[in-house]
């Protein structure tokens, strides 16, 4: 059974060619034919050239997959190209590319064994995806999605595999929809002026409604509201008070973000319309104060959003850097007998454990798990990238993953990140990720006999890989371990046997 090793632990093994002495052509005129005859001489030359030119070359560089750090934005109904680059390039026949979203199966698009695979493709992408196969030999695995829908918004993983080597990169897709031209309407007299409304529908994401005077200066709105229909599109509405003493001419524009193209309309109200308007300065002042306060809050929230976006980009850059600079190490996991439940029997070398029906007569120390049949790895991690593999003989369920060292051990707890446990397992016959508040079933993935656990401490990333199927299983959302040590963690059901693979 083959195993895919992460790029960071591959070793470039240099194969040294055999020394070949210079061979003079013994068939040349004036020389004695050492090969006996012209035919034998040609055969000898062929053998020598084969030895010279078929000397094994050194292994190629590790496979590395990259994608743009920022999101890809496209209008609803248009086609979009999700970029994905890998190096080094290679024969397309030997390269497997899988694009997927939250889970590996069902996938968005897969290319394997020189052709597209559609057997387990997500229903919403059938007939709408195309992989640029011509670019595979040059290190390009771009995916084109036709007639983009709002539901296509989200993160896509580009997973490239070649033999036992693989890597992945994340691409964020944002889908927008530009709505109708704004409709401006005079509604009623209010606050000594005329209340003017601006309405537009068919937008995604939620747009902004902006008012401007004839010189392009921004005018504060009196109110603004947006609703979303069953198709996910937004309808936006805003109103403003127009006075004769102020601006009788104004324009309304609707757009997604500042400095981006949108839809606009203009309106001019002549003097006769203001004859029945009565000034109400106090109420108008109060309304202006409320609008200014609303603008201040809006600007503050936009600044917070900008900081969050910068933090996301920083994390993406950090992840890209760590892929190249921080190696992943094979963890030498040895089970800790001081933490093992009394029904768990460990091997002498701490590399395997079995759950039995009888309880052993051992001290109930604070480190020992009870009532759950759990055990930890003896050594924990406070930095770096690590992985280990576990082989399971399932009789009554199992779960593997990691836990913080401060996980509670003397109480009936739930296995979830809030308790300091990140794991997947076969629970009551159902293979699932032990997430919170609800566990995520993984019906498309067969419960593996051999599973790989990967930990990136600084990034807070815990992920799992099926060695049997050679596919990713699940990756938890990025977590913070708070500087606490993280240990390998195991739970065994009745009769289950578990072994740490070498």
């Amino acid at each position: 059974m083959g195993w895919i090793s992460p790029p960071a632990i591959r070793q470039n093994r240099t194969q040294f060619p055999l020394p070949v002495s210079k061979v003079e052509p013994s068939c040349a005129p004036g020389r004695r034919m050492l090969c006996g005859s012209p035919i034998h001489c040609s055969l000898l030359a062929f053998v020598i050239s084969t030895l010279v030119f078929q000397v094994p070359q050194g292994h190629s560089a590790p496979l590395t997959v990259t994608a743009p750090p920022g999101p890809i934005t496209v209008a609803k109904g248009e086609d979009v190209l999700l970029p994905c680059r890998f190096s080094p390039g290679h024969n397309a026949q030997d390269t497997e590319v899988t694009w997927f979203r939250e889970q590996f199966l069902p996938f968005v698009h897969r290319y394997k064994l020189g052709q597209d695979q559609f057997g387990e493709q997500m229903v919403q992408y059938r007939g709408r995806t195309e992989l640029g196969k011509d670019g595979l030999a040059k290190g390009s695995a771009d995916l084109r999605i036709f007639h983009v829908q709002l539901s296509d918004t989200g993160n896509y993983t580009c997973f490239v595999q070649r033999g036992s080597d693989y890597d992945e990169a994340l691409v964020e897709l944002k889908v927008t929809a530009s709505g109708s031209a704004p409709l401006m309407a005079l509604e009623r007299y209010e606050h000594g002026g005329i209340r003017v409304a601006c309405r537009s529908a068919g937008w995604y994401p939620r747009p902004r409604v902006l008012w401007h005077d004839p010189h392009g200066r921004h005018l504060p709105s009196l109110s603004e509201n947006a609703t979303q229909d069953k198709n996910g599109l937004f309808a936006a509405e805003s109103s403003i008070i127009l006075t004769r003493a102020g601006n009788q001419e104004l324009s309304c524009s609707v757009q997604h973000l500042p400095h981006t193209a949108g839809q606009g309309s203009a309106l001019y109200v002549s003097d006769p319309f203001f004859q029945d308007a009565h000034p109400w300065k106090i109420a108008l002042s109060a309304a202006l104060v409320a609008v200014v306060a609303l603008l201040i809050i809006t600007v503050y929230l936009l600044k917070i959003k900008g900081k969050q976006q910068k933090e996301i980009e920083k994390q993406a850059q950090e992840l890209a850097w760590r892929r190249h600079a921080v190696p992943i190490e094979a963890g030498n996991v040895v089970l800790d007998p001081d933490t093992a439940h009394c029904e768990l029997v460990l091997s002498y070398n701490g590399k395997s454990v079995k759950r039995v029906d009888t309880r052993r007569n051992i001290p109930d120390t604070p480190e020992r798990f009870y009532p759950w049949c759990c055990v930890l790895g003896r050594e924990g991690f406070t930095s770096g990238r690590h992985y280990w593999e576990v082989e399971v003989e399932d009789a009554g369920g199992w779960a593997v993953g990691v836990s913080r060292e401060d996980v509670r051990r003397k109480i009936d707890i739930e296995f979830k990140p809030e308790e300091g446990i990140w794991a997947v397992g076969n629970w009551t016959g159902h293979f699932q990720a032990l997430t919170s508040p609800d566990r995520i079933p993984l019906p498309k993935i067969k419960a593996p006999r051999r599973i790989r656990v990967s930990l990136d401490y600084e990034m807070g990333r815990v992920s799992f890989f099926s060695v049997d199927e050679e596919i990713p299983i699940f990756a938890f959302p990025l977590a913070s371990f708070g500087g606490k040590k993280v240990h390998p963690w195991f739970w065994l059901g009745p009769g289950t046997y578990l072994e740490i693979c070498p």
Side-chain angles (χ1 to χ4, degrees):
M1 172 174 60
W3 164 240
I4 299 178
S5 61
I9 64 171
R10 294 189 298 258
Q11 298 178 351
N12 294 327
R13 299 188 295 273
T14 304
Q15 298 178 343
F16 295 92
L18 295 174
V20 179
S21 60
K22 181 178 180 181
V23 179
E24 296 184 355
S26 58
C27 301
R31 291 184 179 271
R32 184 179 178 183
M33 296 179 60
L34 301 178
C35 42
S37 68
I39 296 178
H40 293 161
C41 187
S42 299
L43 180 60
L44 178 60
F46 172 76
V47 173
I48 293 175
S49 65
T50 301
L51 292 175
V52 172
F53 294 107
Q54 291 190 359
V55 175
Q57 301 299 318
H59 285 269
S60 61
L63 180 65
T64 302
V65 180
T66 58
I72 305 298
T73 304
V74 63
K76 177 178 176 290
E78 298 291 331
D79 301 341
V80 66
L81 187 71
L82 302 184
C84 178
R85 300 289 183 270
F86 64 91
S87 63
H90 202 267
N91 186 355
Q93 187 72 22
D94 301 331
T95 303
E96 178 180 344
V97 178
T98 303
W99 282 87
F100 65 93
R101 297 191 67 174
E102 288 83 3
Q103 300 181 21
F104 192 78
L105 292 176
F107 50 76
V108 176
H109 192 99
R110 174 182 286 176
Y111 174 84
K112 184 178 182 181
L113 300 179
Q115 60 183 355
D116 296 313
Q117 309 286 331
F118 299 106
E120 297 182 78
Q121 187 180 31
M122 296 177 68
V123 176
Q124 72 182 83
Y125 293 99
R126 290 178 182 173
R128 296 177 51 232
T129 60
E130 179 183 68
L131 186 73
K133 294 180 280 294
D134 295 340
L136 290 177
K138 300 178 181 179
S140 172
D142 299 346
L143 179 70
R144 187 176 299 278
I145 302 178
F146 301 98
H147 308 296
V148 173
Q149 307 168 3
L150 296 182
S151 57
D152 296 334
T153 298
N155 293 329
Y156 293 74
T157 298
C158 174
F159 182 85
V160 181
Q161 177 178 338
R162 184 185 299 139
S164 62
D165 201 1
Y166 74 94
D167 197 13
E168 62 183 28
L170 195 68
V171 180
E172 181 183 2
L173 175 62
K174 291 185 177 181
V175 181
T176 64
S178 296
S180 60
L183 175 64
M184 300 180 67
L186 304 178
E187 290 193 326
R188 60 181 178 271
Y189 293 109
E190 187 174 329
H191 302 300
I194 300 175
R195 185 185 182 103
V196 182
C198 176
R199 301 181 181 91
S200 181
W203 293 83
Y204 189 87
R206 178 173 176 167
R208 295 186 61 194
V209 181
L210 303 175
W211 296 94
H212 298 90
D213 64 13
H215 304 288
R217 291 188 293 262
H218 175 68
L219 298 175
S221 62
L222 182 62
S223 64
E224 186 171 341
N225 184 38
T227 58
Q228 195 170 15
D229 61 21
K230 61 180 181 180
N231 297 320
L233 297 176
F234 285 93
E237 179 179 349
S238 179
S239 61
I240 193 172
I241 301 298
L242 188 62
T243 61
R244 180 166 51 185
N247 296 298
Q248 295 179 226
E249 182 179 354
L250 76 164
S251 61
C252 167
S253 63
V254 184
Q255 58 191 46
H256 291 118
L257 295 171
H259 312 298
T260 60
Q263 300 277 16
S265 296
L267 177 70
Y268 176 80
V269 181
S270 60
D271 289 341
F273 285 94
F274 293 96
Q275 292 180 357
D276 294 330
H278 302 284
W280 192 2
K281 296 182 179 180
I282 298 178
L284 181 59
S285 299
L288 289 176
V289 170
V291 171
V292 171
L294 180 61
L295 287 175
I296 294 175
I297 294 174
T298 302
V299 172
Y300 176 73
L301 293 177
L302 288 175
K303 288 184 178 180
I304 293 179
K305 184 178 181 181
K307 291 181 180 179
Q308 292 176 343
Q309 183 64 30
K310 290 181 179 179
E311 184 64 26
I312 292 174
E313 294 176 356
K314 180 179 179 181
Q315 290 179 358
Q317 294 174 355
E318 173 71 10
L319 177 60
W321 176 85
R322 289 182 60 77
R323 286 180 184 273
H324 296 83
V326 183
I328 184 169
E329 300 179 358
N332 182 22
V333 177
V334 178
L335 301 176
D336 186 357
D338 293 336
T339 66
H341 185 274
C342 56
E343 294 181 8
L344 299 182
V345 178
L346 277 60
S347 63
Y348 73 95
N349 62 356
K351 290 292 185 177
S352 63
V353 58
K354 183 176 182 180
R355 181 172 173 179
V356 297
D357 296 333
T358 58
R359 299 181 178 179
R360 296 178 297 142
N361 185 18
I362 54 178
D364 185 15
T365 60
E367 297 82 8
R368 195 176 307 282
F369 282 93
Y370 189 86
W372 287 104
C373 292
C374 302
V375 62
L376 297 180
R378 178 176 297 169
E379 300 297 330
F381 308 103
T382 56
S383 63
R385 302 170 67 200
H386 311 272
Y387 78 95
W388 56 93
E389 294 179 14
V390 183
E391 192 163 302
V392 180
E393 292 183 7
D394 187 2
W398 55 271
V400 299
V402 301
S403 77
R404 291 197 310 263
E405 63 178 348
D406 60 349
V407 63
R408 296 187 292 176
R409 311 184 190 190
K410 299 298 184 182
I411 191 172
D412 189 4
I413 65 171
E414 293 186 44
F415 300 158
K416 58 183 181 180
E418 286 81 356
E419 293 287 352
I421 296 174
W422 293 263
V424 300
N426 197 27
W427 200 277
T428 63
H430 301 285
F431 188 50
Q432 53 194 312
L434 307 185
T435 53
S436 176
D438 299 316
R439 295 172 179 172
I440 298 178
L442 305 171
K444 297 292 184 179
I445 301 177
K446 182 181 178 181
R449 175 180 173 85
R450 186 164 177 167
I451 186 171
R452 165 175 282 204
V453 184
S454 296
L455 167 68
D456 188 331
Y457 189 93
E458 282 81 3
M459 289 299 299
R461 184 179 181 87
V462 181
S463 55
F464 302 86
F465 191 89
S466 171
V467 183
D468 304 337
E469 302 293 332
E470 296 186 348
I471 60 173
I473 295 176
F474 186 81
F476 278 86
L478 299 184
S480 174
F481 303 120
K484 297 184 181 296
K485 187 175 292 186
V486 174
H487 293 260
W489 174 91
F490 312 88
W491 171 83
L492 286 77
T496 296
Y497 173 82
L498 183 149
E499 181 178 2
I500 310 298
C501 302

